[in-house]
Amino acid sequence: MSSEVSVAVAFHSGFGHTARQAAAVAAGVEAVPGARAVLLDVTVIDDALWAALAEADAIIFGSPTYMGSQSAAFQTFAEASGGVWTDQGWQGKLAAGFTNSASVNGDKLAVLTSLSLFAAQHGMTWVPLGLPPGWLFRADGSADDLNRLGSFLGAMAQSPSDLGPDAAPADADLRTAEHLGARVATAALEVAHGRRALAGAR
């Protein structure tokens, strides 16, 4: 049995900003020894997508926030996973989520909540961001702080509507995404090692 864990980053990006966030999540995964990231564009719904998700020890879902909800493209993927749900194919996997919008708030929490419910319906275990809030939480906070947008459920990013993906999201948001990737990868390794230890004790 391989000692490496696979963490899938399953995302949709409408204009490229969420794709940058997804790449940062993947970089965080890859920074953890023994973890491998697999970037998956969920608009390409084929056998290769389902196979990669079935193989993954953890899946980190990502979608832009559009009109207070996940994108239609991500929702199409979510609804297409009905067959996986029937077979309980993702039962016991770890899950986490991230999202990006043009507004500082943008109702991003609604998307993270929806992603966590999607994971729960599949019997997955949600991994939260695990960072204290930054920036405006304290009078001496900085926009360069990790978790500057003050999320707990997952990683949030903000990309001004007049900046392209070459200039947004902000570095602080990308570093927050990296933190999420590393956190999930570490948790996936701990779970995998624990399961092996339990199997060996039987």
Side-chain angles (χ1 to χ4, degrees):
M1 183 181 295
S2 173
S3 60
E4 184 182 68
V5 295
S6 170
V7 180
V9 183
F11 73 98
H12 166 246
S13 181
F15 300 96
H17 304 91
T18 309
R20 279 198 72 194
Q21 192 182 16
V25 171
V29 171
E30 295 281 350
V32 177
R36 174 175 58 92
V38 181
L39 277 167
L40 299 170
D41 179 351
V42 300
T43 63
V44 183
I45 300 176
D46 56 13
D47 289 344
L49 173 66
W50 301 124
L53 292 173
E55 179 186 340
D57 297 279
I59 306 173
I60 306 176
F61 300 109
S63 169
T65 297
Y66 292 157
M67 303 302 290
S69 184
Q70 64 263 47
S71 66
F74 187 92
Q75 186 60 25
T76 296
F77 154 72
E79 294 178 16
S81 73
V84 179
W85 177 84
T86 299
D87 296 335
Q88 291 294 281
W90 298 342
Q91 179 80 25
K93 293 182 187 290
L94 298 184
F98 60 93
T99 189
N100 171 83
S101 72
S103 301
V104 172
N105 184 316
D107 294 318
K108 287 187 276 283
L109 179 58
V111 171
L112 293 177
T113 300
S114 181
L115 295 180
S116 68
L117 288 171
F118 172 56
Q121 289 191 343
H122 276 283
M124 306 173 80
T125 300
W126 189 262
V127 180
L129 183 59
L131 282 173
W135 196 16
L136 299 176
F137 184 76
R138 301 178 63 91
D140 60 353
S142 166
D144 293 326
D145 291 340
L146 284 176
N147 196 21
R148 68 186 184 116
L149 300 178
S151 177
F152 295 97
L153 197 55
M156 292 182 178
Q158 185 261 332
S159 299
S161 60
D162 55 353
L163 289 182
D166 58 324
D171 179 69
D173 295 342
L174 296 177
R175 288 186 289 111
T176 299
E178 288 178 8
H179 168 88
L180 178 67
R183 180 172 166 82
V184 173
T186 300
L189 283 165
E190 291 172 347
V191 169
H193 291 163
R195 286 174 176 164
R196 291 185 190 107
L198 286 172
R202 291 183 182 135

